[in-house]
Amino acid sequence: MGQVIQIDEARIRDHLGEMVRGTVEETLNSMLEAEADQLCGAGRYERSPARQDTRAGSYERTLQTKAGDVNLKVPKLRRQTFETAIIERYRRRESSVEEALIEMYLAGISVRRVEDITEALWGTRVSPSTVSNLNKKIYTKIEAWRNRRIEGEHPYLYLDGIVMKRSWAGEVRNVSLLVASAVNAEGFREILGICEGAKEDKSGWSSFLRHLVDRGLKGVQLVVSDACRGLVESVADYLPEARYQRCMVHFYRNVFSHVPSTRVREVSHMLKAIHAQESRAAADEKARTVIADLRASRMAKAADLVEQAVHETLAYYAFPDIHWRKIRTNNPLERIMKEIRRRTRVVGAFPDGQSCLNLAAARLRHIAGTVWSTKCYMNMRPLYQPQLSETGAVA
C-alpha cells in the first residue's frame, strides 16, 4: 500500500499569501520607479539634455493592501517633491482597504471584530481610533444627505421613533431618534430624514417636522404613526392639511393590554372585523357592535379605549382602497427601525448623541441606496384622479 500524502493547507496558504504580496510589492515599486523617471525626464543614470531633475535616494514606507502589508521604496528627487498618482502622500492604506473597513463598520460589525477580521484577511490589526478616523470621512457625506433638499410631493408620510443609550456626564441615559419615510407622487418610497430628540414629546416632534418642512416637505395628505405623545398636535401645527392615521397594529397591542390573555385571540378577531369593512360607515357601525360586545364580556377598559380611539385608525378609508393595506399600519417604517436596532445593538451605549445619530443615518442612507427605494411601492394614479360626485360632477 502506498503512503498517504498529507497536505499542510496552512503552509500552502501562507506560501500563496507571500507570493501575492511579493508580486504586489514588486509591481508597485516598478510603477513608482517609472513615475520618478517621468518626472526627471530621464532614466536612472541616463545622460540626457531633456533631464529636469536627479534622484536623491529613496525612503521606505509600508502600505496596507488587500494582499497584506507591502514595503515600498518611494523615490526622492532633488529639485521637486515626488508626488505619485499611485499613493497619496502620508497615506498608509490602500483606498479599497479603507472602503472595506468603513463598510464593515456600517454593516454592523463591532470595532473589535473589525480588528480580528483585518488581521485574518491582511495580517494587520487596525486600531479602534483608525476606524473612527475613517468614519469621519463618510459622516461628512451622511450629514449632507441628512439635510438634503426634499423634492416633489409626498402624499403618505410615515413617522416613528427609536430609543438609544448614550453616555451623559458619566451616566447612561436614553436618547430618541425620530425617523421619517414617505411615498412620493410616483409611488416610490423614500427616507426623508432622521433627527435626534431628547424624547418623543411635542417639542421633539415639532422640531423634527419643522426640519422636514424647511427642507421642502409638501403635499402630505396622510401621516401614519403610532400614538406618540405630542405627535398629533405637531402634525396639526406643521402639516395642517394632512389627516392622521394611527397604526392599526399598535392600536391592537394597546387594546390587548386591557384584555385577559385567554381572550386575546377572540378580541383580535373582533378588532380585525372593524378594519375588514368595505366603507367607513360600515367600519363605524362594526366598531359600535364590538364596543357593546366588549362591555357585555366585562372588558370595560378595552371597550373604553376602542370607543375613544378607534376613529384614529379609520382615516385610511378616505383614500383609494388599493392603498388601504399599506397605509393603515406603520409596518414599512417599523421594518427599517429593526435594521437600525440590529446595527446599533453591537455598540451598546454611545459616547455622545452625534455618533448615535451618524451611525443610524448611515444605515438609513445605505437602505435608501438599495432595491428598497427603486421598486414602485404603490400605484398612485387613483389618488390623483378626480373623484366624481353622485351627480356626475367633479368633486
Side-chain angles (χ1 to χ4, degrees), residues 11-282:
R11 292 185 61 183
I12 292 177
R13 283 197 299 269
D14 291 342
H15 180 64
L16 290 176
E18 288 297 330
M19 289 180 59
V20 172
R21 279 192 292 273
T23 303
V24 171
E25 186 175 294
E26 182 180 352
T27 302
L28 290 177
N29 281 319
S30 298
M31 296 173 69
L32 291 173
E33 289 292 328
E35 284 199 17
D37 290 344
Q38 185 177 3
L39 289 174
C40 290
R44 186 187 291 270
Y45 308 121
E46 179 184 354
R47 296 184 180 277
S48 171
R51 177 180 288 276
Q52 300 176 359
D53 207 338
T54 56
R55 302 289 191 103
S58 62
Y59 64 92
E60 293 188 356
R61 248 181 65 190
T62 301
L63 178 70
Q64 294 176 2
T65 71
K66 286 188 174 182
D69 286 355
V70 297
N71 297 317
L72 302 181
K73 292 183 178 180
V74 182
K76 293 193 294 185
L77 306 180
R78 296 188 185 281
R79 299 178 183 175
Q80 55 186 318
T81 302
F82 180 74
E83 297 286 353
T84 171
I86 303 171
I87 309 165
E88 297 178 14
R89 292 191 75 188
Y90 312 115
R91 180 179 287 275
R92 293 293 181 264
R93 277 169 297 276
E94 193 181 28
S95 59
S96 59
V97 173
E98 294 187 350
E99 292 171 2
L101 294 175
I102 294 173
E103 285 296 323
M104 280 191 285
Y105 181 71
L106 297 181
I109 301 175
S110 66
V111 174
R112 300 302 177 190
R113 288 290 296 153
V114 169
E115 293 181 50
D116 297 337
I117 292 172
T118 54
E119 185 176 26
L121 290 178
W122 307 313
T124 304
R125 291 185 72 87
V126 177
S127 65
S129 60
T130 299
V131 178
S132 299
N133 291 334
L134 290 175
N135 288 333
K136 291 178 182 178
K137 298 180 180 180
I138 192 67
Y139 286 159
T140 303
K141 298 179 181 179
I142 291 171
E143 189 66 16
W145 173 83
R146 199 174 66 83
N147 294 285
R148 72 195 184 283
R149 183 72 181 173
I150 299 176
E151 303 292 343
E153 295 187 350
H154 295 80
Y156 299 138
L157 176 67
Y158 300 86
L159 299 173
D160 201 0
I162 186 171
V163 178
M164 299 291 181
K165 300 290 185 182
R166 61 166 294 188
S167 301
W168 188 290
E171 299 180 358
V172 177
R173 298 185 181 181
N174 292 336
V175 59
S176 295
L177 297 181
L178 309 181
V179 182
S181 68
V183 179
N184 61 28
E186 287 74 39
F188 292 89
R189 292 179 291 185
E190 295 182 23
I191 296 176
L192 298 185
I194 178 172
C195 278
E196 177 188 354
K199 51 186 177 179
E200 294 183 58
D201 56 4
K202 183 177 180 180
S203 61
W205 284 113
S206 295
S207 177
F208 184 40
L209 290 175
R210 186 188 311 115
H211 168 73
L212 296 175
V213 171
D214 290 344
R215 287 170 47 212
L217 177 63
K218 62 182 179 180
V220 178
Q221 300 184 32
L222 183 69
V223 176
V224 186
S225 180
D226 57 2
C228 298
R229 184 175 56 184
L231 174 62
V232 179
E233 294 85 350
S234 300
V235 169
D237 292 339
Y238 293 95
L239 301 171
E241 303 298 326
R243 300 171 183 260
Y244 167 65
Q245 167 66 34
R246 183 172 177 174
C247 176
M248 188 179 72
V249 175
H250 285 84
F251 175 69
Y252 288 0
R253 294 171 184 168
N254 297 145
V255 175
F256 294 157
S257 64
H258 302 292
V259 175
S261 58
T262 57
R263 306 290 298 275
V264 169
R265 184 178 179 84
E266 176 188 349
V267 174
S268 174
H269 291 312
M270 296 167 66
L271 296 176
K272 288 180 180 178
I274 299 175
H275 299 95
Q277 303 302 312
E278 69 280 1
S279 66
R280 174 64 186 267

